[in-house]
Amino acid sequence: MRRMFAVLSLALLVSACASAPPAPPPPPPFSPVGVYDCMILGEGFEMPATMTVVAAAGGYSGTIDSEMGSAPMTAVAVEGMVMTFAVDPGGMLVHFRVTFEGPSFTGGFEADGMMGSISGSKR
């Protein structure tokens, strides 16, 4: 009886030591939702702006507000930490691509052959 108790205790100890703790759950997918203070730099201009990103059915939408007015973000796509979108602030479609790192992002834009950069920080 004593021998069986020792063997059983040893088997339970080995079993407990052999099982690894469960892996932590993966982090939630990145969400760009928020309000960002931005700076848009182009060929010969510098323009402060506010970018607002909201959750929409199956994705995201938002606006870019600047001295040129408010323009809705269209074709918003998020893949990993990269977001692409377009805005039409008055007859010229502007395509943006930004990469998020923490509460900030950097990226660029292209419109009718003109290129520039954009950066922003979450409020």
Side-chain angles (χ1 to χ4, degrees), residues 52-111:
T52 303
V53 181
V54 297
Y60 302 98
S61 65
T63 58
I64 300 280
D65 298 294
S66 71
E67 63 189 31
M68 295 177 67
S70 183
M73 298 166 64
T74 60
V76 180
V78 176
E79 187 172 320
M81 300 295 285
V82 175
M83 182 172 74
T84 57
F85 60 94
V87 297
D88 184 349
M92 177 173 52
L93 194 59
V94 183
H95 297 276
F96 288 87
R97 178 183 175 90
V98 299
T99 302
F100 289 87
E101 186 172 325
S104 301
F105 68 84
T106 57
F109 70 87
E110 187 274 324

Side-chain angles (χ1 to χ4, degrees), residues 15-59:
S15 174
C17 292
S19 64
F30 170 71
S31 170
V33 170
V35 178
Y36 299 84
D37 293 317
C38 307
M39 184 58 67
I40 301 172
L41 304 171
E43 297 172 15
F45 74 91
E46 182 176 300
M47 181 172 51
T50 301
M51 179 174 79
T52 303
V53 181
V54 297

